[in-house]
């Protein structure tokens, strides 16, 4: 174990009490502490003259202490420590409230540097003041300033330790312990990127030289920040590279059969495959026939027809006597996949089971015995009780809602089964690189023919009547409608229209039609029967919540109202809109807003009106929201970056990936770099060996 992995208690000034505080920050070892970076920097470089500073400013001054007194305010049981300093140009008073111990440090005659907000004493005209400034004693020897007179790091802290205490400890550790960190990146890579050394980088990100560009520090884009981000991304990508290599080396199932089931399915389909679907189906078949397991991602915008492609793959496995599982992120989606798949494969004589929550004894037994070849379900599929007789292929729909771990877990239900991941939500490239870095990818870049783009319009309360007319016209033609609400009932969110109330209102307006209700608080059986009735056309208007957001596919539904459209995110609006425009008839998405809406919401709605293109919308979404929200999806995953930021550092991620994959390609055991190898082992161990080498 490297000495950087020693417990923080071996640090000067850190005892058991402090160590506890540090642990609360996730800091256990010296290494953790060195990589605990400031979240911002304050510019306290310029030491100003007292004559020069103005009230309202934040300034740093230096002077010698003329007087130092503790004043007690009896009434308020308050102790104030007051000093007056001078620097030739003027005098300044500094006060600290309830910190009388400062008296023991700051003495008359000493030189001090003070940093803080300047105010002016009202009782004694002319004397500038600072309340609770940061201070530092200037000593004769050349001790560098830590808290003042420099670019000062500010850390995220926890109660019980002050910035100043923390900074002081950090300064000592950076001075004395940085050398314990070993640089694990191959020198050729460092050179290629022109990175500063590891030790320089660590010192500089904590206590930057005064000539550093402070903006680059505050945006974490200084060369030293980049170097440290790269280190982290490089290790991560090495892990991925090994995972991919290991997976590809495994012996999988080499499916070989005449493809009769596929042919039968194509025969019962009411359409022919698009060119893109055919191409991707072929790519999948090539993988399935190979001796190594398939790990493939199918990407394609909503409605491009991924389901049928995955079903073809599933049937290919079934024909060889294996089972096929399809996992979806929500019950509604699982149910609807199930209904779809059943309606198709029933015709060719294959049974199919649905596994969601609740009592699943029947399907569970059928899957265990192997009687049921095709299983559709939610994450209930990866529960312990689910045992497959012979799982041959695992398909995961809308995968980013699952963690990377869950994907792996479904795969473990068989012996190296083929794995197919489908994603519709357009995600920024950086994210897909990270989340799917170990997968091969296929893109369905073509929509089925005769799709008309969905007409999208924005309405507000005052123009609602127009909507009712349009809705009635569509329903009269035999079409169906979705009306999407942001809340289930009124109690849920204040001031929001809700689905339950909405259903009552719409029943009144459209008394001649059947209005159904669908939301997440209903049980599976209820929802299943509602969806089935909607599918059969027995329900004309389906009032619902965002439970229908992903995947639901009913081509006869041609009109969607989104109530409180201003409350929805762009990606979500796009997903919702994807539920209409699935047939050949003109479809409508009507965005209804309430109250005054923010400029940002207006931008979202404008983009929705202007574009039907998922990729364009994803990029705009990233522009508007910033990366924060996208990063939410990472939390369940394995990419727990401390320094790097996958959106901000997408270029670094790219090159880290390339460098890592090249390295593993050329030196699969990393024999040439023992330090790197060791570092990687620690990295993998910390992540439950999710990544393993070799
Ligand atoms: P997604 O890619 O969003 O999951 P689906 O697989 O749900 O899309 O397919 C959307 C709709 O398009 C479904 O109704 C499906 O039956 C239909 N579809 C799929 N492929 C074709 C095709 N080649 N021609 C016509 N319709 C198709
Ligand atoms: Mg789908």
């Amino acid at each position: 174990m490297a000495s950087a992995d020693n417990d923080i208690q071996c640090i000067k000034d850190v005892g058991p009490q402090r160590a506890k505080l540090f642990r609360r920050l996730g800091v256990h070892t010296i290494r953790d502490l060195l990589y605990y970076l400031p979240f911002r920097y304050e510019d306290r470089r310029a030491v100003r003259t007292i004559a020069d500073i103005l009230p309202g400013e934040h300034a740093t001054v230096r002077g010698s202490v003329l007087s130092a007194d503790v004043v007690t305010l009896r009434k308020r049981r308050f102790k104030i420590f007051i000093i007056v300093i001078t620097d030739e140009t003027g005098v300044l008073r500094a006060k600290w409230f309830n910190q009388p111990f400062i008296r023991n440090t700051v003495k008359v005659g000493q030189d001090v540097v003070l940093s803080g907000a300047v105010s002016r004493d009202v009782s004694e005209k002319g004397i500038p003041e600072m309340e609770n400034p940061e201070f530092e004693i200037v000593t004769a020897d050349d001790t560098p300033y830590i808290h003042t007179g420099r670019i000062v790091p500010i850390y995220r802290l926890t109660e019980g330790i002050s910035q100043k205490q923390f900074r002081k400890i950090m300064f000592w550790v950076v001075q004395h312990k940085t050398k314990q960190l070993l640089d694990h990146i191959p020198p050729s890579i460092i050179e290629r990127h022109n990175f500063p050394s590891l030790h320089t980088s660590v010192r500089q990100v904590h206590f930057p030289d005064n000539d550093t560009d402070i903006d680059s520090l505050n945006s974490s884009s200084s060369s030293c920040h980049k170097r440290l981000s790269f280190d982290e991304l490089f290790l991560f990508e090495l892990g991925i590279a090994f995972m991919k290599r290991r997976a590809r080396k495994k012996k999988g199932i080499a499916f070989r059969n005449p493809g009769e089931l596929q042919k039968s399915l194509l025969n019962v389909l009411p359409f022919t495959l698009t060119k893109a679907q055919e191409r991707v189906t072929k790519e999948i078949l090539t993988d399935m026939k190979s001796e190594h397991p398939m790990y493939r991602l199918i990407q394609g915008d909503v409605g491009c027809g991924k389901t049928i492609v995955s079903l073809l793959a599933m049937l290919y496995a079934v024909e060889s006597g294996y089972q096929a599982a399809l996992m979806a992120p929500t019950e509604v989606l699982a149910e609807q996949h199930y209904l779809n798949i059943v309606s198709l494969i029933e015709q060719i004589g294959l049974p199919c089971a649905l596994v969601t929550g609740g009592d699943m004894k029947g399907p569970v037994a059928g899957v265990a015995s192997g009687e049921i070849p095709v299983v559709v379900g939610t994450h209930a599929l990866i529960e312990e009780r689910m045992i497959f007789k012979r799982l041959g292929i695992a398909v995961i729909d809308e995968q980013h809602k699952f963690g990377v771990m869950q994907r792996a877990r479904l795969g473990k239900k068989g012996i190296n089964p083929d794995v197919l991941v489908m994603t519709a939500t357009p995600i920024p490239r950086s994210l897909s690189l990270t989340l799917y870095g170990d997968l091969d990818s296929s893109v369905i870049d073509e929509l089925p023919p005769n799709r008309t783009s969905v007409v999208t319009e924005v309405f507000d309360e005052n123009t609602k009547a127009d909507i009712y007319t349009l809705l009635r016209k569509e329903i009269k033609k035999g079409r169906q409608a979705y009306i999407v609400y942001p809340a289930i009932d009124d109690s849920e969110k204040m001031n929001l229209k809700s689905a339950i109330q909405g259903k009552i209102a719409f029943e009144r307006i459209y008394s001649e039609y059947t209005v159904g209700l669908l939301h997440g608080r209903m049980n599976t059986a209820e929802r299943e029967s509602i969806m089935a009735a909607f599918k059969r056309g027995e329900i004309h208007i389906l009032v619902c919540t965002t439970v229908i957001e992903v995947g639901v596919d009913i081509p006869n539904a041609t009109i969607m109202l989104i109530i409180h459209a201003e409350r929805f995110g762009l990606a979500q609006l796009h997903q919702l809109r994807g539920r209409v425009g699935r047939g050949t008839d003109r479809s409508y998405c009507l965005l209804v807003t309430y109250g005054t809406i923010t400029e940002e919401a207006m931008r979202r709605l404008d983009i929705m009106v202007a574009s039907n293109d998922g990729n364009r919308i994803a990029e705009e979404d990233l522009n508007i929201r910033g990366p924060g929200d996208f990063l939410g999806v990472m939390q369940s995953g394995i990419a727990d970056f401390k320094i790097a930021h996958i959106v901000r550092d997408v270029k670094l991620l790219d090159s880290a990936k390339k460098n890592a994959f090249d390295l593993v390609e050329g030196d699969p055991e990393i024999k040439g770099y023992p330090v790197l190898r060791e570092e990687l082992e620690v990295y993998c161990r910390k992540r439950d060996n999710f990544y393993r080498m070799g």
Side-chain angles (χ1 to χ4, degrees), residues 271-274 277 301-307 448 451 553 555 582:
F271 50 77
T272 51
L273 296 186
T274 62
Q277 284 171 316
D301 206 348
V302 278
C304 72
K306 293 179 288 291
T307 317
R451 288 276 168 85
D553 178 42
R582 303 199 140 230

Side-chain angles (χ1 to χ4, degrees), residues 68-347:
D69 302 289
V70 175
V71 177
T72 309
L73 289 187
R74 203 140 301 133
K75 232 182 353 193
R76 291 201 255 152
R77 298 239 192 97
F78 233 54
K79 280 193 159 74
I80 310 178
F81 179 58
I82 302 178
I83 66 169
V84 175
I85 67 163
T86 181
D87 73 347
E88 330 247 281
T89 74
V91 287
L92 174 140
R93 184 182 297 113
K95 297 176 173 175
W96 288 271
F97 295 94
N98 265 348
Q99 302 175 61
F101 49 85
I102 296 177
R103 168 175 44 168
N104 302 326
T105 336
V106 181
K107 304 245 161 75
V108 173
Q110 276 176 333
D111 263 8
V112 292
V113 178
L114 304 176
S115 264
V118 183
S119 55
R120 201 171 288 273
D121 181 354
V122 277
S123 62
E124 267 177 82
K125 275 175 255 141
I127 298 191
E129 277 195 349
M130 286 184 182
E131 284 184 8
N132 298 317
E134 296 250 12
F135 69 93
E136 209 164 351
I137 314 291
V138 182
T139 43
D141 58 10
D142 248 343
T143 327
Y145 302 150
I146 302 178
H147 314 289
T148 54
R150 65 170 311 129
I151 296 175
V152 177
I154 314 285
Y155 299 91
R156 258 182 237 293
L157 298 181
T158 176
E159 211 176 309
I161 188 161
S162 70
Q163 281 293 340
K164 206 166 162 175
Q165 291 163 334
F166 190 91
R167 197 180 294 129
K168 198 171 149 216
I169 293 169
M170 188 63 100
F171 189 77
W172 188 87
V173 173
V174 168
Q175 295 284 299
H176 295 91
K177 302 290 180 181
T178 302
K179 276 190 282 332
Q180 293 184 355
L181 296 176
L182 300 177
D183 190 349
H184 55 259
I185 309 288
S188 57
I189 294 179
I190 298 295
E191 262 163 50
R192 201 175 311 144
H193 289 85
N194 227 338
F195 282 139
S197 79
L198 175 65
H199 295 166
T200 302
S201 301
V202 169
R203 289 197 187 103
Q204 290 292 318
V205 292
H206 288 288
F207 296 96
D209 285 345
N210 267 354
D211 57 2
T212 315
D213 171 18
I214 189 153
D215 292 335
S216 78
L217 291 169
N218 273 322
S219 59
S220 302
S221 60
S222 74
S223 61
C224 296
H225 278 93
K226 282 197 177 143
R227 151 85 215 236
L228 298 181
S229 298
F230 182 87
D231 289 9
E232 201 175 23
L233 295 168
F234 183 70
L235 273 185
F236 170 74
E237 289 296 349
L238 266 186
I240 296 269
F242 276 114
M243 189 158 91
K244 184 160 180 173
R245 198 185 152 77
R246 187 164 34 110
R248 299 301 185 282
K249 265 201 329 218
K250 276 195 290 207
K251 199 150 169 52
I253 308 158
F255 295 103
R256 300 276 157 82
N257 62 63
E260 292 300 334
L261 283 178
Q262 292 195 330
K263 272 180 222 144
S264 316
L265 178 68
L266 291 173
N267 282 336
V268 301
L269 275 187
F271 50 77
T272 51
L273 296 186
T274 62
K275 286 253 151 37
Q277 284 171 316
E278 271 180 10
R279 172 173 44 77
V280 171
T281 303
K282 253 194 219 134
E283 288 167 4
I284 293 169
L285 271 197
T286 310
D287 283 358
M288 290 186 74
K289 287 176 182 166
S290 111
E291 298 182 350
H292 303 293
M294 163 169 78
Y295 296 95
R296 187 167 285 279
L297 173 70
I298 311 181
Q299 285 174 286
D301 206 348
V302 278
C304 72
K306 293 179 288 291
T307 317
I308 195 70
V309 170
S310 71
L311 184 58
L312 284 166
M314 289 162 80
L315 293 190
Y316 197 70
V318 170
E319 188 167 326
S320 287
Y322 285 85
Q323 288 167 301
L326 170 68
M327 180 161 77
T330 66
E331 291 196 4
V332 171
L333 185 51
E335 285 152 15
Q336 100 118 29
H337 271 313
Y338 169 75
L339 292 175
N340 262 338
I341 289 178
V342 166
S343 76
L344 290 171
I345 67 177
E346 231 172 26
Q347 303 178 55

Side-chain angles (χ1 to χ4, degrees), residues 480-605:
Q480 292 162 282
Y482 297 102
I483 301 178
V484 184
Y485 282 84
I488 298 177
D489 58 35
D490 281 355
S491 65
E492 199 183 5
K493 280 177 195 154
M494 305 267 280
N495 299 326
L496 282 188
K497 309 262 168 209
S498 73
I500 290 175
Q501 300 307 311
K503 177 178 185 250
I504 298 169
F506 277 97
E507 265 173 340
R508 214 173 291 135
I509 304 170
Y510 298 100
S511 52
E512 69 274 40
Y513 295 117
T514 312
V515 180
L517 178 67
L518 187 80
H519 58 71
R521 244 188 266 149
M522 295 159 69
N523 68 36
T524 311
E526 283 173 313
R527 283 199 309 247
E528 219 175 289
S529 85
I530 296 282
M531 279 315 285
F534 192 56
K535 191 146 203 166
R536 287 193 301 267
E538 291 161 14
I539 290 173
H540 304 102
I541 298 173
L542 184 62
V543 172
C544 53
T545 57
T546 55
V547 289
I548 58 137
E549 178 188 347
V550 281
V552 171
D553 178 42
I554 292 164
N556 192 50
T558 55
I559 184 160
M560 171 177 281
L561 258 62
I562 303 181
I563 308 294
H564 279 299
E566 77 280 2
R567 299 294 186 110
F568 292 90
L570 203 41
Q572 201 171 23
L573 289 172
H574 180 64
Q575 275 299 323
L576 285 169
R577 181 172 59 183
R579 302 310 113 215
V580 292
R582 303 199 140 230
T584 49
D585 295 295
R586 174 170 286 277
S587 290
Y588 301 89
C589 178
L590 311 180
L591 307 168
V592 192
T593 68
Y594 289 84
T596 48
I597 58 176
T598 63
E599 208 170 294
E600 197 189 298
M602 205 58 230
R603 253 175 88 192
R604 288 197 295 263
L605 301 176

Side-chain angles (χ1 to χ4, degrees), residues 306-413:
K306 293 179 288 291
T307 317
I308 195 70
V309 170
S310 71
L311 184 58
L312 284 166
M314 289 162 80
L315 293 190
Y316 197 70
V318 170
E319 188 167 326
S320 287
Y322 285 85
Q323 288 167 301
L326 170 68
M327 180 161 77
T330 66
E331 291 196 4
V332 171
L333 185 51
E335 285 152 15
Q336 100 118 29
H337 271 313
Y338 169 75
L339 292 175
N340 262 338
I341 289 178
V342 166
S343 76
L344 290 171
I345 67 177
E346 231 172 26
Q347 303 178 55
I348 55 179
L350 286 177
C352 175
L354 175 68
V355 172
T356 53
D359 179 27
M360 289 289 151
K361 281 203 193 82
V364 169
V367 172
S369 71
E371 261 163 84
I372 298 176
V374 179
V375 193
V376 179
T378 56
H379 50 265
L381 284 176
I382 54 177
E383 283 171 18
E384 216 140 299
R385 61 179 173 167
M386 282 302 298
I387 294 163
F388 288 80
K389 177 97 189 296
R390 246 184 140 204
L391 182 63
I393 182 168
V395 180
I396 298 156
D397 192 14
E398 315 288 354
Q399 194 267 345
H400 78 283
K401 302 232 167 164
F402 295 110
V404 186
M405 293 288 215
Q406 285 162 308
R407 185 210 306 164
R409 220 165 278 152
L410 183 59
K412 293 223 170 79
K413 294 280 180 186

